[in-house]
Each structure stands twice: as C-alpha cells, then as structure tokens.
Amino acid sequence: MSSGLRIGIMDLMNRLILALDAPFAGAVVFGVHFDGHLVVEALLVAVIVFLLFQKSYQPQKRPLTRKEIDQLCDEWVPEPLHPAITKEMEDEPPVLESDAGPRIIVSGKEVINLASANYLGLIGHGKITEACNAALKKYGVGSCGPRGFYGTIDVHLDCEARISKFLGTADSILYSYGLATTSSVIPAFCKRGDIIIADEGVQWGIQNGLFLSRSTVKLFKHNDMKALEKILEEIALEDKRVKKVLNRRFIVVEAIYQNSGQMVPLDEIIRLKEKYNFRVLVDESHSFGVLGKTGRGLTEHYGIPIQKVDIITAGMGYALATTGGFCTGSAKVVDHQRLSGAGYCFSASSPPYLASAAITAMDVLEESPELLVRLQENVTLLWKGLSQARGLKVTSNALSPLFFLQLENTSGSFKNDSMLLQEIVDRMLEDAAVLLTVSKRSLLDNCKLPAGIQLSVSAAHTKSDLLQVIQSLKSVVEAVLDRK
Amino acid sequence: MVTIPYFTALTTYFSYGLLFVFGHMRDFFRSFCKSDQSTPEGYAPLCRDFEDFYTRRLYHRIQDCFNRPIASAPDAWIEVSERYSNDNNETLFRTGKTHRCLNLGSYNYLGFASADEYCTPRVVESLKRFSPSTCSSRVDAGTTVLHQELEELIARFVGKPAAMVYGMGFATNSTTLPALIGKGGLIISDSLNHSSIVAGARASGSRITVFQHNTPSHLEEVLREAIADGQPRTHRPWKKIIVVVEGIYSMEGELCKLPEIVAVCNKYKAYLYLDEAHSIGAIGKTGRGICELLGVDTSDIDIMMGTFTKSFGSCGGYIAGSKDLIKYLKAVSPGHLYATAMSPPAVQQVISALKVILGEDGSNRGAQKLARIRENSNFFRAELQKMGCEVLGDHDSPVMPIMLYNPAKIPAFSRECLKRHVAVVGVAFPATPLLLARARMCLSASHTKEDLLKALEVISEVSDMVQIKYFPKDPEKQLKEEQWQQNERKKLS
C-alpha cells in the first residue's frame, strides 16, 4: 500500500513540475536555465526556513491558582500520627521496687533477676554508692550544659583518663548515653563515598550510625568470616578495575552481639582488615569488663594489642553498672570527635556522679579479679545446665554472659517465636519467680536474627539461684511446649 | 533575624579570609616538613584535610575558650580549672588550680544544679535504694517505681494525658522522630533547629524541608506548596507532615511564635512537634513553658518534647502526648527498647525538682525561683541593651546572646571576662553561621542582684575593650528617656 502511495506522490510531483514548467519553458534568467524544479526547490527551502524559525511547541505552563491549592490542601487527608494500637503494645514491663541486682522486688514479690546486664554484680556495691554519694554532694545531679559550655566537670576528664589507662589506649571520649555513642562515632568518620562493611546482626545504635553516615554500607552474614572475606574480595577486585581516589573503609562488628550473644573472631577480623587495608570498629558493650583475664575486653581475650583495633566503643550501662558510653583509640580518633561527634558536641554531658561511678567500677574491677572468675564460673554453670534443656538451644557463645535461647523448632517468624517465648518468660516470672526477657525488635530495626530468650548472668548470682533457674526453666519450657 | 552592619561584615570576612590564607600557608609548609605518620600506607587518611582544617587552623587557636573544665557544681559561682598548653593550644592540661568565677554559661535556669535542701536528700536516698543504674532497658528490667512516678508527674505538669522518659535529651529527639514518620512523610523543620532534631529527622528517612527561622508565613507557604506538589517524582500525596519547632531557640534566645504556628498547622492538618528543651520549667507563670507563657492550649500540640538537663538540673528527656501515642512509642522507639534506662537518682532529682516547682514540697520556693529567673532575665537584658550591645532574643527568655561577629572577638571577650572572674560562653561555627559569632549569657534563678551587677560591670568594661557596643546610645536620646522614666516614677508615686 505504501508503495502505491509513493507512486501516487511521484506522479503528482511530476505533474506539478510539468505544470510549472509550462509557463517558463525554456526561460533563461542571468544564464540560469529556469524551470519548474527550481520553483519547487525554492518553495521547499522557504518551508524549511519557516519551520526552522517556528517556535518549538511548548505547552503553556499554568501554575496552580490559589483556589486550586486551597482545594488540594482541603482534600489532603494525612495518615494518623501512629498506627492503631495492637494488643502487644499494651504489654507493660515489670516495675521494680528495688535496685536491679541479682534478686529484685517486682509487685511485692522477690524475684531472681536475669534481665539486667549487671555482669560484674556492681549494682549496689558499697564503694560505688559511696563515690556517687560524694559526687552528688559536690557536683549536684546534672551538669547543666554540653561539654563545650562549662559542662566539662573534672570527673569527666578523670573518667576519660581512667578508661585510657585501664585499656592502654591513647585517649578516650565520654558520651552521655550508650545508644548515642555508636550513632555519633560512625558518622564522625564516614561520609558519603566511604565504605563500611558491617555484620547484619549489629544493634540498632550501629545501624543508625551506618545510616546517618551516608556511606556505602555492605552487610555480611551474621558472624560469618567467609562472607566477610567474599565482600572484601569483591571490593578489591572492583578497585583493580576502576582506579579511584582512596576512600575510608571500615569493618564494623560487635565483640559480643547484643542480638545473638555470639562472639566475633577478632583474630580473623584483624587478619582480614590488614590484608585488605580496612580499619575496624569494635563495639565492646557486652565484653568490656567481662572478657580477658583482667576484664579488658575482646583484645585481651585474643591476646591482640589494643592498638590494632582502630576504634573501640562501649556502653557503660553493662559491666560498669552506670550509664553512658565511651569511645577510645588513638589521640586523633578521639580529638576529631570532640567537634564532630554529634552526641558529644550537642548534648549535655553525663551527670558527674555517673562518671564517678564508672571510675570506681574500674578501680573495683582491678582490685578484685575474683569477680571475673566468679562470673565465668556462673556462665559455665548456666551454659552446661541450659545446653541440656529440651525444646530450646543455646545459641550464644560459651563465654558470653549474655545468653540467647532459641526455639529448637522455630516457626520462622520473629513475631510467632517471640509470642511463644514470651509465654515461657511470663510463666517463669509467675510460677518460678525468675525474671527473664525475650529479645525485642523495634519496627525500625533492620536486624533479621531470630528471637530468643535473653539471660544476663552476673558474678553476683549465687550458684543455688542459677541452679533453680535452670531447673524451673526446663520444667516451664516442657510444660509450655508440650501444650502446643 | 540578625542584620550584620556593612563595615562589620567586611572586617569579619577579612578576618576569616586572613585566617584561611594563613591556615593554607601552614598546611602547604606542613606537607613538606612533616609527613603524616598516623596514616599507614594503603589507607585513606582518617580525616580529610578539609574536614579538620577548621579544627586545626581556627579552633585550636582559641580552644582554651571552650570545654573549660570546672571543679564544682554548675551553680551561680563555679570553680573554673586553670589550664596550660605547651604546644600552642593544641593540647591543654589542667594545672590543678581553680578560679572562682560567676557562671553565665550553664543552663541552670531554676538553680537546681547544686545541692538543694529538698532534692538532694531524696536523691541520695534513691541512690541507696536503686543504685546508679538498672543495667537494663526500660522494657526489660529498667522500669522502677520512680520511672513510673516521673512519667505520671511530667504528664500532669505539661498538661498531656501521658508521657515517657528517656535517659538522654539528644536521644529523645533522635530516636522518637524516626518512630513517628518514615518514607513518604515530610518533616518541616525550623531552619535553626537543634542538631538532635536534624539527626532524628535524617534517621527517619522521610523528606526534610526547612522554613525560615520562626516565620509562620513562610511555614504556611512551604506547607501549601508541599501539599499541592505531593511527594517528589511520584507526586503521590504525603502520608503525613510533621512540623518541628523549639520553644526557646538556644542560640538565639528567641521565643517560638507558637500561636501563629499552631494556627497554620491546624489549618493544613500538619502534626506539630514542640521541643521545649530550654523553655520547660524556665518560662511561664508556673514554669509550664512556652504554651503557658503564650497562652496556647497544649491539646493543640501533638507531640511535646522536653529535657531535664536544664531547668531541673538532671539528665534525660521526655515525650508527652496522647495515651495511644505513648503506648505506640514505647513499643517502637529504639531509645525505649534498647537503651539503658535513665539513672534512678537522676529520675528522683526531676521528681523532687518538679514537686518544688509545683509547690508540692510544702513551700513557695518554686514560685520564688520562677519569679526570680524572670526578674533576673528581664533586668539583665534591659541593662545589656542600655549598654549598647546588640542583644538577641525576646523578653522573658533567660538566654541572651550578645553579637560579637569578628572571630578575634570571641577569644578576646571570653578570656577578658574570665580574667575578671566571669565565665561566659562564646559561640561560633558550627553552632552558629560563620559570620554570626556571639557570646551567650544564660541567667539563673540562683544569681543574686549583686552577681548580676558585677557581671554587668565586667561585661561593660570588656565590651568597650573589644568594641562590641554596636548601638551606642545617643546621649540626647538617653537624657530624654531618663526624663521620661522620672516622670513615670513621679506618676506612680
């Protein structure tokens, strides 16, 4: 059909040319033979010129009128501020009427407490209470200002020096909250374009830091060094392919994972980091004051010089039995944070009595190494007892004072698992007077590790208490699981 | 808003220019002399040169004006530790000596910073009963009867059905905002909001726009445009919009124009998040903050946030709102689920301070404190203005910045005041825009009239010295004013 059309057009053109030729037939103007072709060509040129000078088609922009915007604003219906309250959200936590020591009082009943990370049993320690009391009288409670503006009390500096002396690092920096420590440290050193490789099971504070840093973040399978090496290998290959300006690279891990109780193989991490030129950040919240012969943490446990780890962070609301967090490392690492650590620079400093408590806690730990022996004995006792429990399996490290018990037959869903586990925990509190907890997971948390019952062992727990916990846990688990 | 005089702007730019040129010259020579040993082969430097240029070349020169350690409670008078440096201010060491100075730097608005006859014995008692920490998060074994009592008390105090407390003010903002809003939401934030709000907003993953500082008309414009345009690229309507403002802006001393902002938010169905870090306890007839001062109904504010660090002399923060909101936040907010609970003695301090403010301690000390902070603030501000200094902020606000502008005036003002035993705070970049350096005074109810007169005398002397009286009073005008005042007095008597 199209060829028919073309023939038609050709025919028409020929006729046109012939028709136009007729009047000028044979005419010669200034030596140019004038015929119909020229007329048609001139016409075409004129059309092209006309088209060229034509404005391109632009639909007229018509901004919304006031009235239209008013209407849009009227029509807009926002979502409610928060989703509907579900039944789980109604759950109230236990309310303590005493300190959170190894035995606590909940609703008038004495209960064995395995929910506080009071690893060294320093809650209620006479020396620490005395130090806090003195600090309260001298300094008052709050510091009433950020570190920059007269919120630096001398005990803050003493505490920083004490941490450095205890660990053998160059300098340390105090944060007033454990959760804000990693969220501030990571963005202080990593920016857009830098690379961070982190474990997929890291706690929310680290996840938040990773997100705020805007760096390229890659996650490796929980505590799997092969997976880590694979990612490192990929990055090294990519480097060979594309030469780029060197960027900062970090491996971020936790010494003992808050979400699983597993321990990171530091020797392997150090080997990989040195092989692939990465720096490493280790969060020692659950290992500081716990691991190693003198409680100096993961590096002591592995016999690795602490300088090999570039940045160490830790919360102080665990073994040290106070509140806050710190970061320690080289002088440069610490100095840089004093203006760049958001949670340091823009937050009120921690109450001085809490810094005093931290200093005294380290003193106590150095003076009484038997605390660590007792803690490890308790950990071993509980580990042996619980590994025989039916229906549950211990998934935490054998040295970790933070225990994780997962269901042997998991349903695969965090929510269903934790509902079942919560039932066990509730029964334990009611029937056996033992306070345990189920791992919580915020909607904002990206960690995908399975739910488990958490137990925090303390050096202050008595053997008989722990034996009682093992005994009653076994029977409660059996009773609950059998009913299902 | 601050308008910087032309000549001052010129000299300020010149000063920074000079510092910048010298800094780069020193960097240039450094690259020859000293190889950076701290960065091993194959690694990128820990901080890029441009990242710590400001610290190395500007901040270190005047480092002694910041982070001054004190050896006492941050009360009206403090013991400031003397420091020395062997390497041109790069590192500072304490000599062990201290100087007793008048404190115009701490946020001790109601004077609860030091030992208090009502609070301290109760705090010590709670320390003995509960120890300094629970070593556990609020949902595990971190909730004591004290936490519960405080949550009920603070809800009653601010006039909301429910409240929850966090152990750190910064974390209150940075962990609550992500729980409230996420992808598909919009946060409209005042351009001078605190860093914790910025951190929370960024962590939420929602879109963030700013509106001109404390300008309700611009907020309305931004809101209209946002609702009309919808989300960028997809043009779907926003899921929700949260407007975030502060009660008192800590670097400006300004009060939020809350009634106008509430009206705008109500009109456009945006949720309002009010950060009362500096205003709760400090302003309002009974200390209930900006809402009370400006007559705003608290039911018009969806989320009320505040801290205990300032007026209550403790640590931590709170969120107050509807019962369901608090239930939801307690189930979702990482600051509640994962962080160590607020230290029980600090909780007790807030409870006791609140009882004093409410007059439930059986005395009228709370009312006296509140009257005192207002009198002190208004007297001090008026005197500073009379002096000819450029003072920012509003009537009744206990925070008053004095503009310094030139970078060299920050250390000059701060050091000269300290020499005369007045401890003031110089604020510069990054807490303020580069050009708008200032000194900031924070008044307290524990300052006596003599304290304030001494402070004014010193400030006047130092202001003359560093030439920051940008509005010297016209002698004729002053005479007229004095006459007018005399007439007024006569009329009254």
Side-chain angles (χ1 to χ4, degrees):
Chain A
M1 186 184 142
S2 69
S3 66
L5 195 72
R6 207 181 308 148
I7 291 166
I9 292 173
M10 293 285 275
D11 189 45
L12 194 78
M13 287 290 279
N14 282 336
R15 273 162 194 254
L16 196 71
I17 290 166
L18 269 177
L20 287 166
D21 263 351
F24 305 104
V28 178
V29 182
F30 301 122
V32 178
H33 191 78
F34 212 77
D35 60 11
H37 273 286
L38 267 179
V39 177
V40 173
E41 277 154 15
L43 264 172
L44 278 175
V45 168
V47 167
I48 288 168
V49 169
F50 172 77
L51 284 176
L52 273 179
F53 282 88
Q54 199 58 334
K55 263 192 201 161
S56 62
Y57 171 72
Q58 265 180 341
Q60 208 185 345
K61 264 196 190 154
R62 284 190 307 153
L64 292 168
T65 60
R66 233 191 122 68
K67 222 171 154 189
E68 282 168 320
I69 295 179
D70 278 342
Q71 202 185 348
L72 283 169
C73 290
D74 275 344
E75 281 168 5
W76 181 61
V77 184
E79 279 181 8
L81 188 55
H82 55 85
I85 301 297
T86 59
K87 218 173 141 264
E88 295 99 74
M89 291 182 189
E90 304 269 2
D91 286 347
E92 294 280 339
V95 180
L96 276 66
E97 288 156 31
S98 66
D99 67 19
R103 274 176 172 263
I104 57 174
I105 297 169
V106 177
S107 331
K109 194 167 91 174
E110 194 173 304
V111 167
I112 301 172
N113 178 21
L114 283 147
S116 293
N118 171 27
Y119 299 135
L120 295 174
L122 296 182
I123 285 183
H125 193 283
K127 243 183 164 173
I128 294 177
T129 311
E130 207 33 64
C132 288
N133 196 359
L136 280 173
K137 297 220 161 108
K138 184 172 177 198
Y139 303 108
V141 179
S143 61
C144 284
R147 287 290 293 267
F149 308 149
Y150 303 101
T152 304
I153 318 283
D154 49 6
V155 284
H156 289 133
L157 298 174
D158 296 341
C159 185
E160 287 172 354
R162 187 73 184 88
I163 293 166
S164 307
K165 196 181 144 215
F166 183 75
L167 288 175
T169 49
D171 205 355
S172 314
I173 178 168
L174 274 187
Y175 283 82
S176 50
Y177 217 37
L179 191 71
T181 311
T182 39
S183 304
S184 303
V185 175
I186 296 171
F189 293 103
C190 300
K191 303 272 186 274
R192 209 184 285 278
D194 297 329
I195 299 179
I196 310 178
I197 306 181
D199 191 289
E200 63 174 3
V202 290
Q203 45 113 332
W204 186 82
I206 296 179
Q207 290 173 26
N208 190 27
L210 298 177
F211 182 79
L212 289 176
S213 74
R214 305 185 194 191
S215 312
T216 313
V217 178
K218 290 180 198 280
L219 301 175
F220 62 92
K221 194 168 164 262
H222 184 51
N223 223 8
D224 184 342
M225 292 302 112
K226 288 219 179 78
L228 170 62
E229 180 150 23
K230 206 172 145 225
I231 294 179
L232 289 167
E233 195 73 49
E234 275 167 21
I235 292 174
L237 274 177
E238 176 73 18
D239 278 351
K240 272 191 199 143
R241 217 167 51 78
V242 198
K243 282 265 177 283
K244 270 193 290 189
V245 186
L246 216 49
N247 48 8
R248 284 170 290 197
R249 289 154 179 212
F250 277 88
I251 299 172
V252 177
V253 289
E254 282 177 64
I256 290 178
Y257 288 93
Q258 188 168 320
N259 285 329
S260 74
Q262 289 184 26
M263 195 196 293
V264 76
L266 187 67
D267 45 357
E268 191 66 3
I269 292 275
I270 297 290
R271 186 184 71 79
L272 290 174
K273 135 200 159 74
E274 284 177 347
K275 185 172 169 198
Y276 292 97
N277 288 353
F278 270 65
R279 291 189 173 92
V280 64
L281 184 150
V282 180
D283 185 63
E284 291 234 41
S285 292
H286 292 273
S287 61
F288 177 79
V290 171
L291 290 181
K293 218 173 150 206
T294 57
R296 276 155 177 83
L298 192 68
T299 47
E300 192 187 25
H301 175 70
Y302 275 97
I304 289 169
I306 199 158
Q307 281 71 22
K308 292 234 173 191
V309 179
D310 301 87
I311 303 177
I312 289 179
T313 60
M316 303 201 293
Y318 307 97
L320 290 182
T322 164
T323 316
F326 67 82
C327 173
T328 184
S330 67
K332 195 162 186 185
V333 162
V334 171
D335 261 357
H336 184 63
Q337 288 173 54
R338 298 211 189 260
L339 275 190
S340 316
Y344 175 88
C345 208
F346 297 106
S347 156
S349 55
S350 69
Y353 77 90
L354 291 173
S356 293
I359 297 173
T360 321
M362 277 178 269
D363 291 345
V364 170
L365 176 56
E366 275 190 347
E367 283 161 18
S368 30
E370 73 274 7
L371 285 177
L372 286 163
V373 179
R374 220 178 302 150
L375 174 62
Q376 270 323 316
E377 278 171 13
N378 282 352
V379 169
T380 318
L381 175 75
L382 200 64
W383 216 83
K384 271 193 193 142
L386 291 177
S387 46
Q388 296 154 7
R390 199 162 60 84
L392 293 176
K393 55 174 189 237
V394 186
T395 55
S396 55
N397 188 282
L399 292 175
S400 159
L402 176 68
F403 277 69
F404 254 82
L405 303 178
Q406 278 166 17
L407 288 171
E408 246 164 20
N409 304 317
T410 165
S411 66
S413 128
F414 184 90
K415 202 176 153 198
N416 293 346
D417 275 7
S418 58
M419 264 159 71
L420 185 56
L421 293 169
Q422 187 64 46
E423 206 181 319
I424 297 174
V425 166
D426 289 345
R427 287 282 298 274
M428 282 295 283
L429 184 62
E430 260 168 54
D431 303 347
V434 175
L435 179 63
L436 308 174
T437 56
V438 179
S439 52
K440 307 286 187 300
R441 196 67 44 88
S442 162
L443 289 174
L444 307 174
D445 198 331
N446 292 322
C447 172
K448 299 276 184 305
L449 299 181
I453 294 180
Q454 288 178 349
L455 296 89
S456 302
V457 188
S458 162
H461 282 127
T462 59
K463 300 246 153 32
S464 59
D465 275 0
L466 291 178
L467 289 173
Q468 191 195 323
V469 169
I470 296 166
Q471 207 50 50
S472 42
L473 188 62
K474 275 179 185 164
S475 58
V476 167
V477 169
E478 271 170 30
V480 171
L481 292 183
D482 284 347
R483 207 154 35 80
K484 294 281 147 180
Chain B
M1 285 307 276
V2 200
T3 42
I4 171 164
Y6 270 125
F7 181 70
T8 318
L10 199 71
T11 53
T12 310
Y13 272 124
F14 178 76
S15 308
Y16 277 111
L18 208 63
L19 281 165
F20 192 73
V21 168
F22 268 92
H24 274 283
M25 268 163 64
R26 295 183 73 162
D27 269 11
F28 177 70
F29 287 117
R30 185 179 76 150
S31 63
F32 286 109
C33 305
K34 198 168 121 192
S35 61
D36 203 353
Q37 290 143 348
S38 58
T39 307
E41 185 64 32
Y43 285 80
L46 198 56
C47 334
R48 300 197 193 292
D49 272 355
F50 62 86
E51 274 172 18
D52 64 347
F53 178 82
Y54 175 82
T55 316
R56 277 183 291 117
R57 299 297 176 215
L58 279 75
Y59 175 73
H60 273 167
R61 288 165 172 266
I62 59 169
Q63 209 188 161
D64 59 303
C65 300
F66 306 97
N67 300 310
R68 284 186 187 135
I70 63 174
S72 65
D75 203 14
W77 287 84
I78 49 176
E79 299 287 336
V80 179
S81 302
E82 197 180 81
R83 290 187 294 178
Y84 69 95
S85 173
N86 295 328
D87 49 4
N88 293 323
N89 242 1
E90 225 167 272
T91 42
L92 292 158
F93 301 97
R94 286 174 285 164
T95 60
K97 263 196 272 177
T98 60
H99 297 287
R100 194 166 180 281
C101 297
L102 181 66
N103 181 8
L104 289 176
S106 298
Y107 308 132
N108 174 26
Y109 300 129
L110 291 185
F112 282 112
S114 57
D116 182 271
E117 53 187 274
Y118 182 80
C119 303
T120 311
R122 285 166 179 76
V123 171
V124 170
E125 199 182 302
S126 73
L127 169 74
K128 285 180 184 146
R129 185 171 165 204
F130 293 99
S131 94
S133 175
T134 60
C135 292
S136 188
S137 76
R138 284 292 305 280
V139 283
D140 295 342
T143 303
T144 67
V145 280
L146 290 182
H147 292 92
Q148 250 185 348
E149 187 185 349
L150 176 59
E151 284 178 350
E152 281 158 22
L153 193 60
I154 194 76
R156 176 155 67 91
F157 182 68
V158 299
K160 277 282 179 190
M164 64 193 287
V165 299
Y166 290 85
M168 181 198 194
F170 187 95
T172 311
N173 276 331
S174 70
T175 65
T176 302
L177 276 169
L180 289 172
I181 193 166
K183 244 189 169 148
L186 174 70
I187 294 179
I188 304 182
S189 165
D190 187 290
S191 61
L192 294 181
N193 270 347
H194 189 252
S195 161
S196 56
I197 296 172
V198 179
R202 276 186 45 205
S204 73
S206 58
R207 275 261 157 186
I208 306 162
T209 48
V210 292
F211 68 97
Q212 273 165 29
H213 169 58
N214 221 0
T215 317
S217 59
H218 189 238
L219 170 65
E220 182 166 7
E221 224 172 88
V222 171
L223 264 168
R224 285 175 69 89
E225 202 177 306
I227 297 173
D229 285 355
Q231 296 183 35
R233 295 178 60 221
T234 61
H235 295 286
R236 297 244 179 103
W238 295 104
K239 287 188 176 159
K240 54 187 148 187
I241 299 178
I242 297 184
V243 174
V244 190
V245 292
E246 290 185 37
I248 290 182
Y249 291 89
S250 66
M251 290 298 159
E252 319 294 313
E254 276 173 58
L255 301 176
C256 171
K257 288 183 183 147
L258 197 58
E260 294 89 337
I261 287 173
V262 165
V264 172
C265 287
N266 280 346
K267 187 170 166 198
Y268 294 97
K269 291 166 278 191
Y271 299 111
L272 183 57
Y273 185 108
L274 173 66
D275 177 342
E276 291 219 74
H278 286 264
S279 54
I280 192 72
I283 54 174
K285 194 157 177 282
T286 56
R288 284 175 166 82
I290 184 101
C291 292
E292 189 183 27
L293 185 73
L294 301 180
V296 175
D297 190 350
T298 50
S299 61
D300 279 332
I301 293 156
D302 303 280
I303 310 117
M304 293 181 74
M305 178 269 173
T307 64
F308 302 130
T309 333
K310 282 94 185 178
S311 304
F312 307 103
S314 181
C315 68
Y318 68 84
I319 296 281
S322 71
K323 281 212 162 96
D324 279 357
L325 173 74
I326 299 301
K327 266 184 208 160
Y328 168 73
L329 283 177
K330 282 188 171 178
V332 171
S333 171
H336 190 77
L337 293 179
Y338 303 135
T340 313
M342 184 171 163
S343 170
V347 177
Q348 180 60 51
Q349 164 75 14
V350 186
I351 295 174
S352 308
L354 270 170
K355 288 207 165 142
V356 173
I357 296 169
L358 287 164
E360 286 173 16
D361 63 328
S363 77
N364 64 345
R365 280 173 59 225
Q368 277 173 5
K369 277 174 184 285
L370 283 161
R372 192 64 166 279
I373 176 77
R374 196 162 47 241
E375 268 168 40
N376 280 355
S377 307
N378 290 336
F379 167 74
F380 205 72
R381 181 183 300 279
E383 289 299 314
L384 285 177
Q385 274 162 347
K386 259 189 225 162
M387 213 183 269
C389 290
E390 188 176 358
V391 187
L392 304 188
D394 291 309
H395 192 71
D396 276 350
S397 153
V399 184
M400 43 205 88
I402 303 176
M403 296 309 295
L404 300 175
Y405 300 116
N406 296 66
K409 287 179 181 178
I410 308 165
F413 188 83
S414 178
R415 286 173 191 158
E416 290 301 326
C417 282
L418 192 71
K419 258 188 214 164
R420 291 164 179 77
H421 298 286
V422 175
V424 295
V425 164
V427 193
F429 183 79
T432 68
L434 201 59
L435 284 189
L436 305 178
R438 61 201 67 176
R440 189 182 57 177
M441 318 286 149
C442 291
L443 272 284
S444 162
S446 58
H447 287 134
T448 62
K449 191 82 178 219
E450 292 78 59
D451 292 344
L452 297 186
L453 290 174
K454 179 193 154 72
L456 286 165
E457 194 186 308
V458 168
I459 289 170
S460 177
E461 193 186 334
V462 176
S463 298
D464 281 328
M465 190 188 264
V466 299
Q467 300 180 2
I468 52 163
K469 293 187 175 170
Y470 290 104
F471 299 116
K473 273 271 163 83
D474 194 356
E476 241 171 75
K477 209 173 150 192
Q478 202 163 3
L479 205 71
K480 262 187 204 162
E481 231 167 65
E482 267 165 30
Q483 273 170 357
W484 180 80
Q485 272 177 355
Q486 269 172 7
N487 286 341
E488 288 287 296
R489 258 181 240 139
K490 264 181 208 161
K491 263 187 226 165
L492 278 174
S493 58

